[in-house]
Amino acid sequence: MKIYYLLFIFLILGCASSNKVSDSDIVGKYSYKGVYGVGSDIEFKEDKTFTYTWVTGLLNGTTEGTWAVSGKKIILDSDRKKSDVIKFKILENSENSLDFYKLKFLDDNKDILPKVICLFLKESGEMKELDANFDGELRVSKNEDFQKVRFIFLGFQEFEIKKEDLKGNVTLMMFQKETYYQYFENEVMIFKGDKIYTDLIKKTRHVKNDFFTKMD
């Protein structure tokens, strides 16, 4: 009876250990090659950092961060997070004695952004659209009925400001969207043998398979 009990214990421990992956199992470089110029590589380093590079035709990008192991899962977190993205800066927000707000829009090089779309929003869901002129300026009455205003410019980060936070003379710096960066926050990959399965591949077009293969 004791023999069967010991065999049972060994079997349970063996199954448990088979579901675990050590750091040394992961370390290395893995590659995925799709079709039509689609591909990506990821390198897991001994210091628990990673470098992920991808290419899709003429587009490419690199993400760096840290990784950890949980069972057969590899958890990735990029050094830069979406929450770190700067959408805008207020360069000026000063009182004026006028009966209107003077809004001015610049990019991160302090060049003028013309025709920025400004959506003045009410709690009821109603909105009114006004656009800045070609000099990147807009004047709007302080008596205008709205609770917040949303600023939109093609290729740039969208953001909102509450009416109560506007004083009078307001200069806003807007920032471009980062098209070629992939942010990882608890991104999960699955390790099986010499392959790593990930939804990152499934999200791309022209997929041939859904895993990275370890490189020699």
Side-chain angles (χ1 to χ4, degrees), residues 146-149 151 160-167:
F146 67 96
Q147 277 67 52
K148 57 185 177 181
V149 55
F151 303 102
E160 295 180 351
I161 294 181
K162 295 180 180 178
K163 182 179 183 180
E164 62 194 54
D165 294 329
L166 298 175
K167 293 182 179 179

Side-chain angles (χ1 to χ4, degrees), residues 65-109:
T66 57
W67 61 275
V69 174
S70 177
K72 288 189 175 182
K73 296 179 180 178
I74 309 172
I75 313 298
L76 284 69
D77 284 289
S78 57
D79 292 334
R80 295 159 60 192
K81 305 290 191 296
K82 287 183 179 180
S83 56
D84 297 331
V85 174
I86 300 175
K87 295 186 176 181
F88 72 101
K89 282 185 180 179
I90 299 177
L91 301 182
E92 180 186 5
N93 191 15
S94 59
E95 301 283 356
N96 67 30
S97 58
L98 306 172
D99 60 357
F100 54 83
Y101 300 107
K102 294 174 62 178
L103 304 177
K104 187 173 182 66
F105 303 94
L106 304 174
D107 65 14
D108 54 351
N109 292 315

Side-chain angles (χ1 to χ4, degrees), residues 173-208:
M173 177 182 285
M174 300 178 67
F175 291 83
Q176 294 187 54
K177 295 179 181 178
E178 291 186 281
T179 309
Y180 311 131
Y181 194 84
Q182 294 195 41
Y183 298 93
F184 297 155
E185 296 187 46
N186 295 317
E187 181 73 34
V188 175
M189 295 183 172
I190 305 297
F191 182 82
K192 292 182 181 180
D194 62 346
K195 296 180 175 63
I196 292 179
Y197 292 80
T198 169
D199 286 339
L200 293 175
I201 295 175
K202 295 178 182 178
K203 293 175 184 176
T204 63
R205 299 176 62 188
H206 311 304
V207 172
K208 189 159 55 176

Side-chain angles (χ1 to χ4, degrees), residues 5 7 11 33 46 49-50 69 92 133 142 195:
Y5 177 75
L7 288 174
L11 181 62
K33 302 300 179 187
E46 292 183 355
T49 63
F50 72 87
V69 174
E92 180 186 5
N133 60 26
K142 292 180 179 177
K195 296 180 175 63

Side-chain angles (χ1 to χ4, degrees), residues 20-34:
K20 293 183 179 179
V21 176
S22 68
D23 293 352
S24 59
D25 292 330
I26 303 297
V27 172
K29 190 171 184 179
Y30 301 77
S31 182
Y32 166 76
K33 302 300 179 187

Side-chain angles (χ1 to χ4, degrees), residues 41 78 150:
D41 296 326
S78 57
R150 181 181 303 154

